[in-house]
Amino acid sequence: MTSVRRDRADPVTGAGDTRARYRRILRFAAWNLAVTWWFELFLPRLGMGWIAERTRAKRMLRFAQRFHVLAVELGGLMIKVGQFLSSRLDVLPPEITKELEGLQDEVPPVAFSAIRKLAEAELGAPLEQLFASVEEIPIAAASLGQAHRARLLPRDAADTGLEGVVLKVQRPGIDAIVDVDLAALRKIGGWLSHVRLISNRADMPALVEEFAQTSLEEIDYLQEGANSERFAVEFADDRRVDVPAVVWERSTRRVLTLEDVTAIKITDAEALLAAGIDPAQVAPVFASVMFDQMFTTGFFHADPHPGNIFVTPVADPAVPHPWKLTFIDFGMMGEVPTNTRSGLRKLLLAAASRDGKGLVAAIRNVGVLLPSADTVELERAMTHLFARFGGMGFAELREVDPREFRDFAVEFGDVVRSLPFQLPENFLLIIRAMSLTSGVCSSLDARFNLWDSVEPYAAQLLRDERGNIVQDVAQQALDVAGLALGLPKRLDGLLTRAEDGSLAVASPRLEQQVRRLDRSARRTASVLIFGALLIAGSVVRADDTVFGNVLMIASVVPLLHGLWAGRSGL
């Protein structure tokens, strides 16, 4: 006898048992958080971190497989999470990204009868009276809606200059699904806000609310149409970029009609080569266009996964290459405030010039690093990082001996973890967009080096902002002058403190190593006592059951002490 899961979304209406859906998402999150805590935090405290390292790849793959099943069965915002993970081709193992990449293109479609019913209710007339034809088989099925090819009636085609269009219709019942998913994500965000390591870095409830706002905007197709037109205006003079036109007369909040611009999917290397287009030449152009959005216009596509970018062959001799990048799906867009954009430009310039100190200053300016942070050691860490790994592409980094990364982590890990970092709310979409960009570029060209795109772009920024740079230099000159004027007084105070014995010299790295050794010593002693009591109890128990049990139970005390020894110093 077979049974049907009540928490699986209905393939026709998109609805399901919302309570069961909510519980299933929370169970999945709770279990995986518990597994992560056990392997990554608990076992290392027992000196068994090697178990976590040896099983990490299998655990990640198992997580990806289980999440894939969850996302496909539930749909909704779970697909969005999986799409983000599948885009990280630059940092995640290929087994993980390959397992989740199908979520971008293989979302089960909704039956056309349900799509027709919703579209006709929204547009106020039968589809036959609105379109010359509508294909029943969708050309794309996404987590929030699906798209069908259609043809406008002759009178509408004459008015718009378009004939072939794409009819994009929301999944029926998606409003309720999004509400349930956001409720579950808010609960998970609340859990994570109680984890000190995470809460010190980011306001998880605030980030969930930012994601919620973006998701609710994404199911408003009138907003998407407005975003599309604004994006088209921003790149009107850029021959590298194309955007589909909107047919407003056939659009509502839940139905959107667009110019059909279907072309070659950006990561379809075989189709690109067949069209005479070198994928390796597409990567730097795509990166440059995304940099323009992030650092120049400040209005950027926050969901540039491969399904939303086409490479369109063109025969325009004025175009530097015989193709354009065509962006679609403008439901998820982000804006970079002017002050944040300025900070991001400085960060880009510092990264391009391998300036560790400048990079730390830029990180502070964009709000990731709190003003109270002592950045001397972090600057040294960034300088060391640039000296060893700066200029390497992702493929080159994969070939570096892993022991070098471990050595860097051992030397500077405590420095980074001890600093008061935080994740500003408006960085959620910025991080998503840049993560997707790097993933797509790596897929186009395994040897792609992001530095090759960063450096010429940074050079252009320098040329465009010479006035600001002159101001910065002038401000630095004033700062140096002020420091020089105050230096004699500071030296006098320093000598006075040295003479009266009140001068204290701080060495953060030394202090951290001393604290680590102290904690290790206490933990080792506690574990030895635990082992001795446990073994003694098991031996004595054969002759004296009561006393043996007492010894074994007493062994728990030094075990707990070993686990939490020195916790207050972490």
Side-chain angles (χ1 to χ4, degrees):
M1 180 177 178
T2 60
S3 60
V4 179
R5 299 189 68 98
R6 296 180 64 210
D7 51 342
R8 180 167 183 164
D10 188 285
V12 176
T13 67
D17 187 331
T18 56
R19 185 176 301 176
R21 178 187 183 91
Y22 177 79
R23 288 198 301 263
R24 187 176 178 193
I25 294 173
L26 292 187
R27 283 199 305 270
F28 183 88
W31 169 255
N32 284 282
L33 286 173
V35 169
T36 301
W37 173 84
W38 173 265
F39 281 97
E40 303 297 340
L41 296 177
F42 186 79
L43 290 183
R45 286 182 176 276
L46 294 178
M48 292 187 284
W50 58 273
I51 296 179
E53 293 182 7
R54 194 170 66 179
T55 61
R56 187 170 292 125
K58 288 185 178 179
R59 284 186 286 112
M60 291 180 68
L61 179 57
R62 194 156 51 240
F63 164 81
Q65 292 169 338
R66 291 172 178 170
F67 185 84
H68 192 156
V69 172
L70 178 81
V72 170
E73 289 191 357
L74 296 185
L77 298 184
M78 298 301 101
I79 297 288
K80 292 293 181 184
V81 177
Q83 287 176 347
F84 174 75
L85 294 175
S86 70
S87 69
R88 296 312 310 267
L89 302 172
D90 51 332
V91 296
L92 290 179
E95 295 83 4
I96 305 296
T97 56
K98 185 174 181 60
E99 178 64 33
L100 296 178
E101 67 182 2
L103 293 175
Q104 294 177 350
D105 302 300
E106 300 173 6
V107 179
V110 177
F112 183 72
S113 58
I115 292 295
R116 171 189 286 274
K117 182 178 179 180
L118 189 150
E120 292 179 345
E122 285 289 311
L123 296 174
L127 291 182
E128 289 77 10
Q129 296 179 16
L130 301 171
F131 298 92
S133 64
V134 178
E135 295 183 5
E136 294 191 6
I137 299 177
I139 58 173
S143 56
L144 305 181
Q146 64 188 49
H148 296 257
R149 277 201 176 94
R151 300 184 75 80
L152 294 176
L153 294 170
R155 65 176 183 274
D156 294 327
D159 290 340
T160 61
L162 305 174
E163 186 174 354
V165 294
V166 170
L167 181 65
K168 184 175 178 181
V169 184
Q170 280 186 11
R171 284 177 173 261
I174 194 63
D175 289 344
I177 290 175
V178 168
D179 287 343
V180 171
D181 291 355
L182 289 177
L185 291 175
R186 287 186 177 104
K187 174 66 73 173
I188 297 169
W191 292 347
L192 295 176
S193 68
H194 295 294
V195 180
R196 187 173 61 180
L197 182 63
I198 296 176
S199 62
N200 287 346
R201 302 293 185 261
D203 185 346
M204 290 305 301
L207 291 177
V208 171
E209 289 308 316
E210 183 184 354
F211 180 70
Q213 179 182 351
T214 301
S215 300
L216 293 174
E217 290 177 354
E218 197 170 358
I219 57 176
D220 181 352
Y221 283 174
L222 293 178
Q223 180 65 50
E224 178 178 342
N227 290 339
S228 176
E229 291 198 336
R230 178 180 171 185
F231 191 87
V233 170
E234 297 282 5
F235 285 91
D237 298 326
D238 193 328
R239 295 182 179 273
R240 302 171 300 171
V241 178
D242 199 13
V243 179
V246 180
V247 183
W248 288 109
E249 295 78 9
R250 296 291 180 264
S251 299
T252 70
R253 194 182 74 85
R254 297 200 286 177
V255 175
L256 184 63
T257 303
L258 301 160
E259 175 188 3
D260 187 357
V261 293
T262 307
I264 304 172
K265 181 180 175 181
I266 190 170
T267 52
D268 189 345
E270 185 176 344
L272 289 173
L273 291 171
I277 301 171
D278 184 358
Q281 294 180 357
V282 176
V285 175
F286 176 60
S288 177
V289 169
M290 291 304 300
F291 286 156
D292 281 341
Q293 297 173 46
M294 300 291 294
F295 303 114
T296 303
T297 69
F299 184 64
F300 64 94
H301 198 303
D303 195 23
H305 68 74
N308 286 339
I309 316 291
F310 292 125
V311 178
T312 306
V314 295
D316 186 352
V319 178
H321 34 68
W323 48 267
K324 288 185 176 182
L325 293 173
T326 302
F327 287 77
I328 64 171
D329 194 352
F330 295 89
M332 186 181 294
M333 303 295 291
E335 289 198 60
V336 185
T338 303
N339 59 334
T340 302
R341 202 183 319 161
S342 175
L344 288 175
R345 288 177 177 177
K346 291 179 180 178
L347 191 151
L348 183 68
L349 292 172
S353 60
R354 318 289 198 271
D355 179 4
K357 187 173 182 178
L359 184 67
V360 173
I363 292 173
R364 189 198 295 273
N365 287 341
V366 297
V368 174
L369 191 61
L370 296 181
S372 60
D374 182 1
T375 59
V376 174
E377 284 296 299
L378 182 61
E379 290 170 3
R380 194 171 74 84
M382 292 299 100
T383 301
H384 179 90
L385 185 68
F386 278 132
R388 177 59 188 92
F389 305 113
M392 288 188 176
F394 297 123
E396 293 173 297
L397 287 173
R398 292 192 185 103
E399 296 173 1
V400 174
D401 189 337
R403 288 176 295 185
E404 291 196 46
F405 292 115
R406 285 197 295 269
D407 291 343
F408 179 84
V410 168
E411 185 173 1
F412 297 108
D414 285 346
V415 172
V416 175
R417 284 190 293 269
S418 66
L419 287 172
F421 284 101
Q422 65 177 1
L423 188 62
E425 293 180 30
N426 61 356
F427 262 53
L428 184 64
L429 293 181
I430 294 175
I431 292 173
R432 174 182 172 82
M434 295 312 296
S435 298
L436 287 165
T437 299
S438 64
V440 169
C441 289
S442 296
S443 179
L444 285 166
D445 181 7
R447 306 292 303 183
F448 177 75
N449 189 336
L450 190 62
W451 298 106
D452 292 341
S453 295
V454 168
E455 288 177 333
Y457 192 86
Q460 182 61 45
L461 282 179
L462 281 171
R463 289 191 293 271
D464 293 344
E465 298 190 352
R466 279 175 179 163
N468 293 334
I469 292 172
V470 170
Q471 293 176 7
D472 291 343
V473 171
Q475 183 61 48
Q476 289 181 16
L478 289 175
D479 292 342
V480 170
L483 179 62
L485 289 174
L487 188 58
K489 184 177 180 180
R490 295 179 65 185
L491 284 174
D492 182 63
L494 181 64
L495 290 173
T496 301
R497 291 172 61 191
E499 290 172 353
D500 62 20
S502 63
L503 179 63
V505 179
S507 176
R509 292 185 63 218
L510 180 59
E511 292 172 2
Q512 289 165 1
Q513 295 210 9
V514 170
R515 286 197 300 269
R516 191 184 303 115
L517 287 172
D518 179 57
R519 290 196 299 270
S520 297
R522 283 184 284 168
R523 188 178 299 116
T524 301
S526 297
V527 171
L528 287 174
I529 296 172
F530 158 71
L533 289 175
L534 184 64
I535 294 172
S538 62
V539 173
V540 172
R541 192 171 184 274
D543 298 320
D544 190 335
T545 304
V546 175
F547 186 50
N549 286 339
V550 169
L551 288 175
M552 295 177 72
I553 293 172
S555 69
V556 174
V557 176
L559 173 63
L560 293 176
H561 179 269
L563 290 176
W564 302 106
R567 177 172 178 153
S568 60
L570 292 177

